[in-house]
Amino acid sequence: MPTNALPLSIELPDYREYKMMLRPNLFDEKKSSMQSFQKGLERNLKSHKASLSGTEFQRSKRQRIEVLDTKDFQIRNLGLLLRKRTRVTAASRKAIEMTLKCRSPDLCIAIGHHCPIPQNFSTKSKLEEDVATPFVSRFSRSTTVTLSSAPRTTEEITAIFSCLRSIEGLPKYLKRVNDLQITEDVFEGPVFKFGEVSAKVAVILWFIPKRKKPVAAEFSFRVPFNDVMDHPDTAKQILGFYETMQGTKWMSSEFGTKSSFIYES
């Protein structure tokens, strides 16, 4: 048996996604900021014998983000996150996605989370590992439902995500956390190459109403989980690059994740 093989059959994440919060003020000028950031990425990749291909950063999507919870954050206290995402596309002005995510540092908890969805809904489920700075590993099981219109009441939401019914004293309506409605711009294009392992890259900028400049920013890249598990030397190479990026001017330590920005703002 290979030394890095798991002794038992276990469900593994589809992807590992490395994430790093950025200083949003460095992205006030989108085009020039993205170009400067991409050059910095390329320099640091070369120092770790990796490369960058693909294209320049281009905005690939714009969407509205809201996180819903009770007044005293009962959903978050269960280790869950309930997100409403409204995609704005050329084909359809509004495509609504509701996502319930269980996130935990314990893989067994994430694997074990199941929230049955009625069969009449279009759903997508995934298991992923998120890595936050400096290297904080958390596993997430998420289920996303695509809807033609947004649910308005808590009863309509629990009709989709039945596991939320276990929360006692749910109000008639769930509220936006801290009343934040985020406009999210996603920029993609570059691809990292670490030996045989490729990683898709994204920069996400968050905006709030009446503010033209971003209030939060995140850099992420993700690799197939099996690729890093099967190539430990490549995993070390990626970790070295990830740690180097944390020492650059771009990193922000104010909030560890986008979710913490919403809940702690």
Side-chain angles (χ1 to χ4, degrees):
M1 177 183 292
T3 57
N4 63 330
L6 293 175
L8 298 174
S9 176
I10 186 172
E11 183 182 7
L12 294 175
D14 299 313
Y15 291 94
R16 167 181 282 182
E17 187 163 14
Y18 298 81
K19 298 182 176 182
M20 187 178 96
M21 296 299 288
L22 304 173
R23 293 169 58 192
N25 63 301
L26 296 181
F27 292 86
D28 288 349
E29 301 295 332
K30 288 184 187 178
K31 185 174 182 179
S32 60
S33 299
M34 289 293 176
Q35 291 173 341
S36 177
F37 183 62
Q38 186 161 342
K39 289 178 182 178
L41 290 174
E42 192 163 14
R43 284 195 303 271
N44 286 309
L45 284 166
K46 286 181 179 178
S47 71
H48 290 276
K49 299 181 180 180
S51 61
L52 184 148
S53 61
T55 64
E56 292 185 350
F57 280 110
Q58 300 286 338
R59 194 180 78 187
S60 59
K61 64 186 76 167
R62 169 170 283 177
Q63 46 207 14
R64 310 281 189 261
I65 304 292
E66 300 172 47
V67 173
L68 305 177
D69 209 329
T70 64
K71 185 177 180 180
D72 52 354
F73 301 156
Q74 287 176 281
I75 295 177
R76 187 195 197 193
N77 292 341
L78 287 176
L80 304 175
L81 181 137
L82 179 62
R83 181 186 67 208
K84 172 187 171 186
R85 179 164 59 194
T86 306
R87 294 186 181 273
V88 179
T89 66
S92 174
R93 288 296 298 170
K94 290 186 178 180
I96 297 165
E97 295 178 345
M98 297 291 296
T99 297
L100 184 66
K101 179 180 292 190
C102 171
R103 182 179 288 163
S104 173
D106 189 330
L107 175 60
C108 295
I109 292 176
I111 290 175
H113 173 75
H114 291 283
C115 193
I117 307 296
Q119 293 184 352
N120 57 314
F121 290 102
S122 173
T123 64
K124 179 174 64 177
S125 182
K126 60 183 179 180
L127 178 67
E128 294 185 305
E129 180 190 17
D130 292 332
V131 176
T133 57
F135 191 96
V136 180
S137 180
R138 293 170 301 171
F139 299 91
S140 64
R141 164 92 69 187
S142 63
T143 301
T144 298
V145 178
T146 302
L147 304 168
S148 58
S149 60
R152 299 186 59 190
T153 66
T154 302
E155 184 178 2
E156 290 174 337
I157 292 173
T158 56
I160 301 170
F161 301 110
S162 59
C163 56
L164 295 178
R165 293 174 186 163
S166 64
I167 301 175
E168 294 184 3
L170 280 175
K172 184 175 181 179
Y173 300 98
L174 296 178
K175 303 292 185 180
R176 287 197 300 251
V177 174
N178 288 321
D179 201 31
L180 285 174
Q181 185 177 47
I182 305 292
T183 296
E184 178 178 271
D185 283 350
V186 181
F187 295 82
E188 298 173 303
V191 176
F192 294 163
K193 192 74 173 178
F194 299 95
E196 298 298 317
V197 178
S198 297
K200 293 184 177 181
V201 187
V203 170
I204 293 174
L205 301 182
W206 274 10
F207 300 85
I208 59 176
K210 300 180 181 179
R211 291 278 297 273
K212 294 183 179 181
K213 296 180 179 180
V215 294
E218 180 194 72
F219 154 62
S220 67
F221 61 99
R222 70 177 194 171
V223 296
F225 189 86
N226 284 336
D227 285 356
V228 289
M229 189 177 71
D230 293 342
H231 300 87
D233 289 340
T234 301
K236 292 178 183 178
Q237 181 187 19
I238 295 172
L239 176 59
F241 166 74
Y242 184 58
E243 291 175 335
T244 295
M245 287 301 301
Q246 295 176 48
T248 66
K249 68 176 183 179
W250 302 95
M251 179 180 163
S252 170
S253 57
E254 185 176 3
F255 296 100
T257 65
K258 299 195 303 299
S259 297
S260 62
F261 171 84
I262 286 182
Y263 273 94
E264 298 167 19
S265 291

